[in-house]
Amino acid sequence: MNLNINAQKAQTYDAIVVGSGMTGGWAAKELTEKGLNVLVLERGYEIKHVEDYKTAMQDPWEFEHRGKITTVAAEEHYASMFFSAKEGSQFNFTNDKEHPYIQKRPFNWIRGYHTGGKSLIWGKHTYRWNREDFLANTKEGIGIDWPIRYEELVPWYTYIEKFVGISGQAEGLAVLPDSTFLPPMAMTAPEVHFKKSVAQKLNRPITIGRVAHLTKPQPWHTAVGRASCQFRNRCTRGCPYGGYFSSLAATLPAARSTNRLTILHNAIVKEIILDDHDQKAKGVRVIDQNTMEVREFYAKVLFLNAGTIGSTSILMNSKSARFPNGLGNDSDQLGRNLMDHHLAVGARADIEGFEDDYYFGARPGSLYIPRFRNWGNDKKRDYLRGFGYQGGAARADWSRGSTEPGFGADFKKRLTQPGPWKMSLTGFGEVLPDPNNRFYLSPDKTDKWGLPQVVFDADFSANDRAMRKDIMNDGAEMLEAAGFKNVTTYDNPAAHMGLGIHEMGTARMGKDPKTSVLNKYNQVHTCKNVFVTDGSAMASASNVNPSLTYMALTARAASYAVAQLKAKNL
Ligand SMILES: Cc1cc2nc3c(=O)[nH]c(=O)nc-3n(C[C@H](O)[C@H](O)[C@H](O)COP(=O)(O)OP(=O)(O)OC[C@H]3O[C@@H](n4cnc5c(N)ncnc54)[C@H](O)[C@@H]3O)c2cc1C
Ligand code: SF4
């Protein structure tokens, strides 16, 4: 008898965090630093910061296929093949064959099942949402109103930015609020020219990308072992310097230093265990991904940080007499209003006249063009919301030789010289919430762990498609304003939801439990000790990259959860 009680005690923590990625790292850091004993459950294998970045120092020619992914690997990583997975980084992207999902309508589900999650492979563009982003739904009658406003997030944005370390330039723009910045990265000469021309001719501001790279590390960065970015742009293979922000390099070490953190790998959280007595969660049921052993862990508070689809799947899978359609799903909103950002649409050009200019290193960032459509004095468009661009000008490198005709010594010598300047702009546009854009769990198809497969059923709307046209045309207009040559536009016909890698929604926050799953503190309305603080919580998508907002929401929710625990409300 005693044995059982002791076993349960050994599996009991103050808090359980599901997922060790971008938001899980923040939940772990905040909860441990506030005195809680925390168990992080990570479904993937363990990656150790620095020592497991096996390809980080390899040059392109040292790879068997010069960096290109093989056909076999492409089949295994088909979702991330479009632009992310390469020979040196494919192991940081989830194998779709082993972790299948169903596309009723096309969706690329790009994942990183390992320590650090997608924080190891993200692009690091880091922007605050603006005031209007939290108001647009209610002003336009789209989806539901956000239960919070920009002002409530400001202290949390500032708090996160300082620890993360974001390089960028303050511009004082309402559309793109400034963060707390480290020194900005430099623009190349044609970019400086482009910025001036677009400001003069079209009155649109352009800034250097705001990226989570340490351009001037501060004591709190070096304290967790991080150092300055070396401008090598090999980030998706993992950075031994901790030059960019990841949970592996920053939040998990901070949490570990409290001595209150336990991380268990290969631990696939299957479902939440509900205490029938008080209708609160008492723990989680976990499948070991290698041995299939099923175990239970218990805690007073649960944080779901398994990524938008991952966290909502766990809620959907947690069925009980009280919640026959998934935990917290009285509103039937679980899985609905799946959002993403537009990608794979924009414009390109060749640049003449800067042949004597070059630049330092391989900058791991780009320019940023803030939203200008449906904003300020802009004439109202035939679609709602707007888009921004990431992009830049660089000189083509030796790899251009693989598509240029030629052979022999002269050809090879030419490839040792810098190639022509080219510029490309890629639009990131806001996708509106739509209850019919959704995912659900398959009633009959399971994966090898017996978990129901995710079925995606979502597509761009007429609003989204109208926006894509402006993304192309406005991109071309700006490149032409700078006098660049051979301007072309593109809208990749294979582009669909998921490719923006910013999946959001599916367990939205709201004021009313009848129409939303989470309250203003990311707490499940009807199961108060469960918090969901990743992209699942979003009620709309903005047009800027979302991870900073997820992190701010996570730290805010963790602070609230600890206060509620202390007040014995959880
Ligand atoms: C190539 C790429 C570029 C990107 N660029 C940017 C960018 O420039 N700016 C930006 O803001 N965002 C960017 N993103 C998106 C960003 O990476 C995500 O928004 C962010 O990582 C989401 O954080 P998360 O904690 O929700 O998920 P993740 O960081 O993915 O972490 C989720 C973790 O949960 C684990 N997990 C999942 N299911 C379970 C389960 N059942 N049990 C236990 N553990 C589980 C996963 O293995 C993973 O480790 C990019 C993403 C990619 C892939
Ligand atoms: S560019 Fe900077 S952050 Fe990226 S891998 Fe190199 S040193 Fe690390």
Side-chain angles (χ1 to χ4, degrees):
M1 290 264 274
N2 276 347
L3 266 181
N4 251 343
I5 293 166
N6 286 339
Q8 177 148 353
K9 225 170 153 188
Q11 321 255 83
T12 302
Y13 296 79
D14 296 325
I16 290 175
V17 174
V18 182
S20 67
M22 193 83 76
T23 60
W26 270 100
K29 173 182 171 316
E30 296 304 301
L31 296 171
T32 52
E33 287 180 350
K34 287 182 167 52
L36 270 51
N37 281 313
V38 175
L39 172 67
V40 172
L41 294 165
E42 168 51 55
R43 74 171 292 158
Y45 54 90
E46 180 171 15
I47 295 186
K48 289 203 178 80
H49 181 49
V50 185
E51 64 192 86
D52 283 337
Y53 303 147
K54 303 274 187 246
T55 58
M57 294 301 174
Q58 273 177 257
D59 282 311
W61 50 89
E62 292 178 288
F63 289 102
E64 196 183 345
H65 306 98
R66 304 294 179 264
K68 289 223 159 42
I69 204 161
T70 64
T71 312
V72 173
E75 279 171 15
E76 289 172 349
H77 300 275
Y78 62 84
S80 30
M81 262 299 294
F82 189 77
F83 64 98
S84 297
K86 302 274 184 306
E87 195 177 13
S89 63
Q90 65 201 36
F91 42 81
N92 285 337
F93 292 85
T94 297
N95 183 319
D96 299 301
K97 267 193 166 170
E98 272 178 32
H99 302 272
Y101 57 92
I102 298 159
Q103 302 175 66
K104 192 166 174 198
R105 289 186 277 172
F107 192 99
N108 276 38
W109 189 16
I110 301 174
R111 297 159 286 173
Y113 286 166
H114 45 66
T115 333
K118 285 184 288 184
S119 78
L120 201 62
I121 48 178
W122 69 315
K124 289 91 64 190
H125 275 264
T126 310
Y127 304 97
R128 285 187 184 197
W129 287 23
N130 65 39
R131 206 163 264 122
E132 283 302 309
D133 285 328
F134 294 92
L135 292 167
N137 272 4
T138 189
K139 282 186 179 170
E140 294 163 357
I142 300 291
I144 54 166
D145 188 13
W146 276 87
I148 53 167
R149 298 287 176 246
Y150 172 73
E151 287 71 14
E152 288 170 67
L153 272 194
V154 166
W156 297 104
Y157 274 142
T158 309
Y159 175 71
I160 301 288
E161 289 158 1
K162 192 176 160 200
F163 184 79
V164 165
I166 300 163
S167 77
Q169 176 73 49
E171 305 280 2
L173 303 169
V175 73
L176 193 73
D178 294 324
S179 293
T180 309
F181 290 125
L182 299 175
M185 293 182 180
M187 290 188 189
T188 60
E191 288 171 351
V192 172
H193 166 80
F194 178 68
K195 176 182 158 86
K196 275 192 200 144
S197 314
V198 173
Q200 274 166 12
K201 295 190 184 152
L202 298 164
N203 194 25
R204 291 176 197 155
I206 295 176
T207 191
I208 188 70
R210 297 170 177 181
V211 282
H213 288 259
L214 299 182
T215 46
K216 190 173 178 198
Q218 301 299 308
W220 52 89
H221 300 131
T222 49
V224 289
R226 300 180 62 196
S228 193
C229 171
Q230 311 288 307
F231 281 57
R232 308 154 62 244
N233 203 9
R234 296 175 182 181
C235 316
T236 45
R237 306 186 204 161
C239 178
Y241 306 93
Y244 70 89
F245 173 85
S246 68
S247 60
L248 267 169
T251 42
L252 293 176
R256 203 170 279 122
S257 69
T258 65
N259 290 323
R260 284 188 281 269
L261 176 72
T262 307
I263 306 188
L264 194 63
H265 285 88
N266 303 307
I268 304 176
V269 173
K270 178 185 176 212
E271 61 194 330
I272 293 169
I273 310 164
L274 193 72
D275 190 326
D276 292 330
H277 176 63
D278 58 8
Q279 303 297 326
K280 279 201 284 192
K282 64 175 180 185
V284 289
R285 201 160 283 129
V286 170
I287 306 171
D288 185 296
Q289 84 156 329
N290 298 323
T291 65
M292 303 286 181
E293 185 196 359
V294 178
R295 294 170 73 186
E296 292 183 359
F297 296 92
Y298 311 99
K300 291 178 213 140
V301 61
L302 305 183
F303 266 69
L304 295 192
N305 298 97
T308 299
I309 312 301
S311 291
T312 300
S313 296
I314 293 169
L315 292 173
M316 287 174 165
N317 217 21
S318 305
K319 293 185 180 165
S320 58
R322 165 68 186 88
F323 295 115
N325 301 317
L327 193 140
N329 198 19
D330 294 351
S331 59
D332 185 34
Q333 286 301 316
L334 274 188
R336 294 190 183 275
N337 297 294
L338 175 60
M339 296 169 281
D340 190 22
H341 283 149
H342 289 293
L343 197 73
V345 54
R348 304 186 182 102
D350 297 333
I351 301 172
E352 289 170 4
F354 293 87
E355 282 73 25
D356 292 338
D357 286 291
Y358 203 68
Y359 41 85
F360 166 75
R363 187 184 67 195
S366 69
L367 293 188
Y368 191 74
I369 306 179
R371 171 181 167 183
F372 48 84
R373 286 289 173 232
N374 288 325
W375 187 269
N377 296 327
D378 184 51
K379 172 169 83 63
K380 212 167 174 309
R381 304 281 131 185
D382 60 347
Y383 55 85
L384 297 170
R385 316 282 166 103
F387 51 87
Y389 295 91
Q390 291 170 27
R395 301 193 75 157
D397 64 15
W398 57 270
S399 61
R400 68 189 186 276
S402 63
T403 51
E404 269 179 22
F407 64 93
D410 283 348
F411 177 68
K412 282 198 250 176
K413 192 168 171 220
R414 200 153 45 81
L415 294 184
T416 65
Q417 309 298 314
W421 284 98
K422 289 179 183 295
M423 183 152 189
S424 132
L425 297 175
T426 301
F428 279 77
E430 177 161 1
V431 170
L432 294 176
D434 172 351
N436 296 318
N437 276 347
R438 63 186 302 198
F439 85 88
Y440 52 90
L441 298 183
S442 168
D444 47 18
K445 288 218 163 52
T446 53
D447 63 16
K448 79 176 192 194
W449 298 278
L451 291 169
Q453 288 188 27
V454 163
V455 184
F456 288 103
D457 185 8
D459 196 3
F460 294 135
S461 65
N463 194 80
D464 300 328
R465 293 190 190 285
M467 186 185 288
R468 289 182 82 90
K469 286 195 186 130
D470 261 10
I471 295 178
M472 280 195 296
N473 297 336
D474 293 351
E477 181 188 28
M478 288 186 281
L479 293 168
E480 269 155 13
F484 296 158
K485 305 285 179 233
N486 307 325
V487 175
T488 52
T489 59
Y490 67 96
D491 182 354
N492 194 315
H496 48 250
M497 299 267 285
L499 272 178
I501 336 179
H502 296 158
E503 58 274 11
M504 276 176 264
T506 71
R508 66 186 177 187
M509 291 168 101
K511 295 170 188 158
D512 185 353
K514 289 201 194 82
T515 56
S516 59
V517 180
L518 308 173
N519 71 11
K520 66 179 287 183
Y521 293 105
N522 295 71
Q523 191 175 25
V524 175
H525 282 297
T526 47
C527 191
K528 293 278 189 240
N529 63 341
V530 178
F531 291 78
V532 186
T533 69
D534 52 30
S536 328
M538 299 291 141
S540 64
S542 174
N543 68 287
V544 297
N545 305 58
S547 300
L548 178 64
T549 303
Y550 304 168
M551 291 190 260
L553 286 172
T554 304
R556 179 175 173 272
S559 169
Y560 176 79
V562 173
Q564 291 294 299
L565 269 178
K566 284 190 181 148
K568 301 207 182 315
N569 291 336
L570 290 182

